[in-house]
Amino acid sequence: MRINKQNGVIDMFFSKKLEAFMAVVENGSLSKAARVMNRTTPPIAKSIKDFETSLGKRLFKREKFGMTLTKDGQELYNDLRDLYLQEKEITKKHFTGYIVNEANIYYDWGKEKFLINLYQAANKNNVQINILRFNYEEVDEIFDYDGNTVILSSQPVISERFSLQRKIKNTSLGIYCRSELYEKYGNNIMNLLRSCTWLCNPAFYKSSLMSELLDKTELDGNKASIRQMDNIGSCQSFLQVGDFIGIIDYYPENDLNNKSLSYIPLDSIIDSCCCYIYKSKSHSSVLNRFTNVIDTLDESKV
């Protein structure tokens, strides 16, 4: 067993060459891997070269904007990834007496069904979940302890700490209102939008989706009437009286058992509504227990 300590990080079992290999895979370049490992680029490059020489295999393709795995490199990574993550957790347990068993899920607004699916998958795998809000201007301030972080966003997130896992296209965006109100305006979506007060989440209010919707609905200098409300669930009393409509990103199946309410999709107005799912680039065996559910999230089920 070999034990080294550097900036509070303890490495056991795995050599520096292997650690460098995993870091370059996860971060996509020598410079980013060096930054994560708190080292300079030349030693990382030498470790990779020495590792390839000792194995007699070329592990990476050197490209203009980074490094990608060769077939041999991908096979090695697939064989070692789970073992590497387990080693990190075991190391922390024996040196600190503590194993992180929590994951943080950040979201901008809405996404109730996606959050529920992730929560259920984590709970099934005995992982505790913290569900937290974020806004795009403060993405670099997101807490990412031990890499146990997932982000659900309605627009791309620019950050060197998180990688895109999946982009789910054509997720729902629609109007939630009284059926009689929709009928009052001739079952016409544009008339409904131009005549009623919108109730929406503050994060949605600041999003590019809101800008697109306003561009499509505001005519001749007439501004849409908008009220920001942090929880659309608390808007029920508003929706039941007056000309109020809610803008939401999920189909409220349970609420629509009440025939007095309707959900009108905005597919004909908004070109695309997506959910971008990001995961921390840092190693995390905690996330690895349940994030396979990300591949099964499907709009037809939410």
Side-chain angles (χ1 to χ4, degrees), residues 102-106 119 127-132 143 148 150:
E102 293 185 358
N104 297 324
I105 299 178
Y106 286 84
Y119 179 85
V127 176
Q128 300 175 33
I129 287 292
N130 301 311
I131 298 179
L132 308 157
F143 184 68
N148 298 324
V150 173

Side-chain angles (χ1 to χ4, degrees), residues 49-65:
K49 183 177 180 180
D50 290 346
F51 196 32
E52 290 180 317
T53 299
S54 63
L55 291 174
K57 297 178 180 180
R58 187 183 179 196
L59 302 176
F60 290 98
K61 301 174 186 175
R62 277 72 170 175
E63 298 179 344
K64 184 177 181 180
F65 298 105

Side-chain angles (χ1 to χ4, degrees), residues 273-297:
C273 179
C274 302
C275 179
Y276 298 85
I277 304 180
Y278 293 84
K279 185 173 74 69
S280 172
K281 289 182 178 179
S282 300
H283 300 293
S284 169
S285 57
V286 175
L287 282 185
N288 198 45
R289 293 182 212 164
F290 71 92
T291 49
N292 61 323
V293 72
I294 290 174
D295 295 329
T296 68
L297 295 177

Side-chain angles (χ1 to χ4, degrees), residues 10-174:
I10 304 168
D11 301 314
M12 293 174 59
F13 308 121
F14 284 84
S15 69
K16 286 293 184 183
K17 297 182 182 64
L18 181 53
E19 185 184 11
F21 169 73
M22 299 298 288
V24 172
V25 174
E26 296 292 335
N27 293 279
S29 74
L30 290 169
S31 59
K32 291 180 180 178
R35 194 177 306 125
V36 168
M37 296 175 68
N38 294 311
R39 298 172 68 187
T40 58
T41 301
I44 303 300
K46 185 177 186 305
S47 291
I48 295 298
K49 183 177 180 180
D50 290 346
F51 196 32
E52 290 180 317
T53 299
S54 63
L55 291 174
K57 297 178 180 180
R58 187 183 179 196
L59 302 176
F60 290 98
K61 301 174 186 175
R62 277 72 170 175
E63 298 179 344
K64 184 177 181 180
F65 298 105
M67 300 175 70
T68 59
L69 288 169
T70 62
K71 183 178 179 181
D72 285 333
Q74 186 65 58
E75 184 177 347
L76 178 64
Y77 178 71
N78 292 341
D79 288 341
L80 291 176
R81 184 174 185 274
D82 288 346
L83 180 61
Y84 184 77
L85 294 175
Q86 290 169 17
E87 179 272 329
K88 289 292 184 183
E89 190 168 312
I90 291 170
T91 298
K92 184 162 187 176
K93 174 184 177 182
H94 286 278
F95 277 88
T96 68
Y98 176 69
I99 294 180
V100 174
N101 194 38
E102 293 185 358
N104 297 324
I105 299 178
Y106 286 84
Y107 72 106
D108 50 1
W109 63 281
K111 300 173 181 54
E112 289 192 12
K113 299 296 184 179
F114 293 140
L115 291 172
I116 289 172
N117 287 341
L118 284 167
Y119 179 85
Q120 291 175 337
N123 186 57
K124 183 177 180 181
N125 288 276
N126 299 314
V127 176
Q128 300 175 33
I129 287 292
N130 301 311
I131 298 179
L132 308 157
R133 292 284 294 278
F134 85 99
N135 62 61
Y136 310 109
E137 294 81 10
E138 299 174 355
V139 65
D140 288 334
E141 298 177 17
I142 286 180
F143 184 68
D144 187 32
Y145 184 68
D146 278 357
N148 298 324
T149 300
V150 173
I151 298 175
L152 304 181
S153 175
S154 299
Q155 61 191 65
V157 169
I158 300 175
S159 173
E160 291 188 354
R161 295 186 299 140
F162 302 98
S163 59
L164 181 64
Q165 298 297 296
R166 190 168 175 213
K167 175 183 176 182
I168 304 178
K169 298 181 179 180
N170 300 320
T171 57
S172 178
L173 183 68

